[in-house]
Amino acid sequence: MDSTIYSNLTTGNAYSTEADAQASVVGLYSILDGEGEFFGYYNGMFALVTEYGTDVGYSTKAGNPSQMTTFSYQPGNGLLLTNWNSQYRLVTGANTLLSKIADLEVAEEAKNQMIGQARFLRALAYRDLTDAWGPVPFITEEIDPDLVEDMPLTPVDEIESFMIADCEFAIEHLPEQWGTSEGLTRATKGAALTLLGKIYMRKHDYANAKIYIDQVLEMESRGIYRLNPDFKNVWSGSNKLDEGMVFGILHDAARRPTFTSLHFGPADNKDIPSRWSYYGISLDFWRKYHDDDPRKAFFWYDYEGSTPRGDGSGYGLFYKMPDPGENTPPNDTTILLKDVTTKKYTYEMNSKSEWDDRTIIIFRLADVILCKAEIENALNGPAAALPYLNRVRERAGAPLYGVDARFPAPGNQNEMADRILDERGFELVFEFQRRPDLIRFGKLLDVCNAYIENYLGLNVRLTENNIYFPYPFQDTRYNSYMRAENEKRIVR
């Protein structure tokens, strides 16, 4: 019996029309959420290389998550490989589209918009790769896979030059907003401005960072973006497109679902049952929130579970946030939590099924405002940064610096930098920020070593060699440069 061929598309013939090219652009966005894995890359897995290996991420799950929690990760860690592969798939997809679209007969504006999106996404992928691994093999065009073997590692500053050019093109050609027919969460000018500002901040070039971050805030002044007055509502399941979202991934439970709430939800909770609690936050970090900061309550703790107590009462086991030093449950129906889960990805869920329609936010206005605080502190000192720091705290309902007597205004740039770093942790916890933030502020080693010693009680210590993760073992088999570098990158 002969098979019916419904499609015979290849990279050679799939770019004959504008519709083909647009479909390829949409395919690039699908890589951001794992290409059908439902929890890949920004759909959850990326948190394991941004929040873990810091004082934030904590998992009780055995294997790869536990290795990240205890800083015992090795080149064979599957989570490192999954993220590495996702990011290079995005680079490869963008390079392929860019090589095919140049000669396509399409209106110039439409072509430039497609190119701008591909270049933005390629820059984002390389930003994420270099945040985690530093120097990496750098590929900007279609390449024979055989030529990738033993490819040298390109220094970060050289890669950044290309990322900057990619973002500049995107800024020039992407619209401020897309219409419904094009897709509401495509990359925009604001997304490219934000990424470029962050790239310059990573370089500690705050003068250039200010140019681009200020443009995003100017767009806010014109109503393109808006800071939601209720920080919790940013994460409501019914708030699919928060006005403060600069760039994100939109999901539909019926057509493009996600497992996000399944991974971020608390295990054994009566209100939202059957979650996995795969991603947790250390109790040490949670306790750093001030009791008068409403964001401290935006976590799942002190709750009744679904598991019966076994005493005939009809109640479930009680999961308690332990007091510092409390190691013994007060009774046999209480479980002391070992970590705490954020409500960001389970707040006001539309469905309690394992499939959900959660929007994943990659860039948002509160982050941009805190970037502005960091920039102003570096360029003009703490007084210039204070209004931006307090703006985010005021929206959250937290005590304000220089207003509440318990929170004196930082008196110098170093003090203000510490407060901004703290605030980024409180506001942006589990939003793919912590490890890059700690590295940029020069605090990764101090913060993590203190956490390892005083909270985890482990006999390991990070050094300058551990600022970047070891390269995945699967790729080091074909790259002597990465094998040699990995000799130094194992935490000991």
Side-chain angles (χ1 to χ4, degrees), residues 69-243:
T69 293
T70 58
F71 295 81
S72 60
Y73 44 79
Q74 301 289 320
N77 188 289
L79 305 176
L80 296 177
L81 177 63
T82 297
N83 283 284
W84 173 274
N85 285 345
S86 293
Q87 289 150 28
Y88 269 113
R89 278 199 297 271
L90 186 52
V91 168
T92 300
N95 287 341
T96 299
L97 186 148
L98 290 168
S99 71
K100 302 297 183 183
I101 200 174
D103 297 327
L104 191 63
E105 293 186 7
V106 178
E108 194 71 12
E109 181 181 13
K111 179 185 287 190
N112 283 335
Q113 286 182 347
M114 288 188 281
I115 293 172
Q117 291 171 82
R119 294 185 70 171
F120 166 82
L121 291 169
R122 180 172 64 180
L124 179 67
Y126 271 123
R127 192 282 303 263
D128 294 341
L129 281 163
T130 51
D131 270 350
W133 286 281
V136 295
F138 185 48
I139 307 165
T140 59
E141 56 189 22
E142 278 194 297
I143 189 170
D144 184 333
D146 291 337
L147 299 179
V148 176
E149 185 170 344
D150 225 27
M151 180 174 283
L153 304 175
T154 300
V156 173
D157 59 350
E158 292 184 28
I159 299 174
E160 285 173 336
S161 296
F162 281 85
M163 293 160 60
I164 289 168
D166 277 351
C167 288
E168 288 174 339
F169 185 94
I171 290 166
E172 181 180 355
H173 294 287
L174 294 183
E176 291 186 345
Q177 293 176 303
W178 292 93
T180 304
S181 61
E182 292 98 349
L184 295 172
T185 55
R186 288 177 182 251
T188 61
K189 179 178 181 178
L193 287 166
T194 301
L195 178 57
L196 185 50
K198 284 174 167 283
I199 291 168
Y200 276 118
M201 288 172 67
R202 189 174 74 172
K203 292 166 64 69
H204 298 113
D205 183 348
Y206 288 104
N208 269 312
K210 177 180 169 61
I211 294 171
Y212 300 101
I213 294 299
D214 279 356
Q215 289 183 63
V216 183
L217 295 177
E218 189 275 333
M219 292 169 71
E220 181 201 7
S221 72
R222 291 189 283 110
I224 302 297
Y225 304 115
R226 172 179 171 269
L227 197 62
N228 196 312
D230 182 352
F231 78 92
K232 300 186 298 300
N233 193 49
V234 171
W235 306 100
S236 172
S238 61
N239 184 22
K240 297 289 291 179
L241 288 169
D242 185 72
E243 292 178 279

Side-chain angles (χ1 to χ4, degrees), residues 373-404:
E374 184 179 337
I375 291 166
E376 288 299 326
N377 184 50
L379 296 178
N380 300 307
L386 185 60
Y388 301 99
L389 174 63
N390 273 343
R391 186 178 175 203
V392 173
R393 291 181 64 82
E394 183 174 27
R395 191 276 293 267
L400 303 184
Y401 287 100
V403 176
D404 190 303

